[in-house]
Amino acid sequence: MLSDPDYLTDPYPELKRIRELAPIHFDAVSGIYFVTQFREFGLMAKTPLMGRDTLFWANGWSSPENKERDPQTYALFTEFQPQMINANAPDHRRMRGVYEKAFRPGDMARYLPMIQAECQRLLDALPSDSPVDFMTAFANALPHRISLQLFGIPMEMDEPIARWIAALSWLGNIVMTPEQKREAQKAQSEFKAFVRGHLATLKDAPGDGFIGLALAAAEDGTMDEEETLNNVVMLISGSRTTLTLLGNGLLTLLKHPAQLEKLKASPGLMRSAIEEMLRFEPGSSIIPRAGIKDFQCGGVTIPAGSLAIGLVGAINRDPQLFDNPDVFDITRRPNPQAAFGGGPHVCIGKALARMTAQVAFTALLNQFSRIELDGDAVWWTDRSDQRGLQSLPLRLKRA
């Protein structure tokens, strides 16, 4: 199911069918437990009996059988493993603590002028009354350029880093082709080599931003070299979270013109509109957890060593929590959507994604009096872990 192009184009009918079967569905073919309802997902995300470290997945990439059968995958994930996103407590808290304060909304505010400037630079380059692909010209570029600036990376590294991020993004997919594994392994090696050199270059003048935090943690022993490099690579690569929000969110607005007009008339609804975009068309499709010990939830026992996956599209439209869940409503409150995950591993960059989206959508609606689809949007149909757009053809008219 998760690799079916028809499902990936429109997953919601199938997600609704599965959710109505049970809050947790065991798939005998894959041996995976799929979590489809909000309450059970929250319990799974928070319990210490389940964790993010897939070394606990008995039949996963780290098993002796897989090491012998597929040494390439074993080597790839072994090198990728040492970072906060893959760690359980206490290692997760040790690494996350290095960066957590810097990602809080109040601390992110220092970067607002930079985000506004990058957004305006890209908007100024968009054509008026001519066809343009929003993903290529804006949504892919904005969060990527912001990430480079946060880590003091020269803009001439834009293209190679974008290429490395694209290759590494396959690591979240359930199934990878041999070519994707080779590309990811090459990207991982080249990206980490660049970060190692970049950190060395700035060692004598790290500043008080993200590079300074990385260097201080390496210097005082909070993280070893592999953890330092992998976490910087992961944080730079996190720009994909924002690009899916920008693309999915704008398409959703255009497909619901009454809601778009309501937002134009009431700009104060922007924050709640972004939360509804995240709920209605989340960019994250799956959120995995591996069983550390047996965990009872939703009327079933998820055994130690098992893999459980939260299906975000199902969770975010759970009628037990959301009234009229298949309706896009930018005034929806409360809106405890799960697009950023939950529990200790909730997305560390969520404040940055929200702030970037607020800046981008506000500027877009102010600068263009007309924003129209100029063809069919094309969804990614080659990945199961993220839901995003390959292209979003638009025609814009400046105000």
Side-chain angles (χ1 to χ4, degrees):
M1 176 189 80
L2 292 181
S3 60
D4 182 347
D6 290 337
Y7 167 81
L8 293 170
T9 298
D10 182 13
Y12 298 106
E14 181 65 10
L15 290 174
K16 180 179 180 180
R17 185 188 71 82
I18 296 173
R19 187 181 57 236
E20 290 175 349
L21 291 175
I24 299 179
H25 173 73
F26 177 68
D27 178 57
V29 175
S30 64
I32 296 174
Y33 292 81
F34 290 98
V35 182
T36 65
Q37 295 183 15
F38 196 95
R39 177 181 177 275
E40 285 70 21
F41 171 72
L43 293 172
M44 181 185 78
K46 295 172 184 176
T47 179
L49 303 179
M50 303 285 292
R52 188 61 180 80
D53 189 345
T54 51
L55 288 170
F56 285 87
W57 181 16
N59 296 321
W61 65 268
S62 66
S63 69
E65 296 79 11
N66 188 68
K67 181 179 180 180
E68 182 175 349
R69 180 178 63 251
D70 189 359
Q72 183 182 30
T73 296
Y74 182 84
L76 178 61
F77 278 88
T78 297
E79 187 176 349
F80 178 73
Q81 189 69 11
Q83 58 178 290
M84 71 176 89
I85 197 173
N86 296 325
N88 293 345
D91 291 328
H92 171 252
R93 171 47 49 191
R94 169 176 58 83
M95 289 185 274
R96 184 177 174 116
V98 171
Y99 296 101
E100 194 163 45
K101 184 177 184 298
F103 274 109
R104 292 173 184 167
D107 290 87
M108 289 306 307
R110 65 188 287 194
Y111 300 108
L112 181 59
M114 178 269 288
I115 293 171
Q116 291 171 327
E118 287 297 336
C119 179
Q120 195 59 51
R121 187 175 294 113
L122 290 169
L123 288 178
D124 287 345
L126 294 179
S128 182
D129 213 19
S130 298
V132 63
D133 178 14
F134 180 75
M135 301 310 296
T136 301
F138 187 85
N140 293 343
L142 177 62
H144 179 61
R145 293 177 68 87
I146 290 169
S147 289
L148 296 187
Q149 294 222 38
L150 290 178
F151 283 87
I153 298 172
M155 282 299 164
E156 55 262 32
M157 288 302 298
D158 187 346
E159 191 278 330
I161 289 180
R163 187 176 68 250
W164 295 334
I165 291 173
L168 288 174
S169 72
W170 292 112
L171 291 170
N173 219 20
I174 291 178
V175 178
M176 297 173 65
T177 67
E179 182 181 3
Q180 289 166 352
K181 294 174 188 177
R182 286 192 297 270
E183 290 178 357
Q185 202 156 27
K186 183 173 184 289
Q188 185 165 246
S189 176
E190 293 176 355
F191 204 166
K192 287 168 70 172
F194 166 77
V195 170
R196 185 183 290 109
H198 184 59
L199 292 177
T201 299
L202 297 177
K203 188 172 183 179
D204 293 333
D208 61 353
F210 286 87
I211 288 294
L213 294 173
L215 287 168
E219 180 69 22
D220 66 20
T222 301
M223 292 191 289
D224 63 26
E225 184 184 38
E226 280 298 292
E227 292 170 341
T228 299
L229 296 177
N230 280 342
N231 277 299
V232 171
V233 166
M234 180 273 293
L235 291 170
I236 296 172
S237 302
S239 59
R240 292 180 74 86
T241 301
T242 307
L243 81 84
T244 56
L245 170 55
L246 295 175
N248 298 6
L250 182 56
L251 176 61
T252 303
L253 283 173
L254 294 175
K255 291 171 68 174
H256 298 83
Q259 295 295 302
L260 176 56
E261 291 305 314
K262 182 181 292 187
L263 182 57
K264 288 180 178 179
S266 303
L269 291 173
M270 183 60 74
R271 289 188 179 183
S272 64
I274 290 169
E275 294 306 298
E276 182 68 346
M277 295 173 200
L278 289 163
R279 184 196 72 84
F280 195 79
E281 280 290 3
S284 176
S285 298
I286 62 175
I287 297 177
R289 293 291 186 271
I292 302 171
K293 296 182 178 180
D294 290 358
F295 175 53
Q296 294 185 348
C297 183
V300 303
T301 298
I302 301 176
S306 298
L307 183 69
I309 290 178
L311 295 173
V312 183
I315 294 161
N316 270 4
R317 299 195 185 195
D318 185 351
Q320 295 187 60
L321 186 68
F322 300 103
D323 294 333
N324 301 313
D326 295 320
V327 172
F328 179 68
D329 178 8
I330 65 170
T331 67
R332 185 183 298 274
R333 290 182 182 173
N335 192 349
Q337 50 78 24
F340 292 126
H345 276 85
V346 67
C347 177
I348 194 171
K350 62 185 185 297
L352 175 60
R354 285 172 166 136
M355 184 166 68
T356 301
Q358 185 167 350
V359 168
F361 285 118
T362 299
L364 192 66
L365 296 183
N366 286 341
Q367 191 152 339
F368 295 96
S369 59
R370 190 175 75 240
I371 305 172
E372 298 175 344
L373 287 170
D374 193 46
D376 294 331
V378 179
W379 291 98
W380 293 333
T381 57
D382 54 358
R383 57 187 322 122
S384 57
D385 63 318
Q386 294 176 323
R387 178 161 170 78
L389 291 168
Q390 179 178 325
S391 65
L392 179 56
L394 299 181
R395 188 175 289 269
L396 309 166
K397 186 174 180 59
R398 295 190 183 279

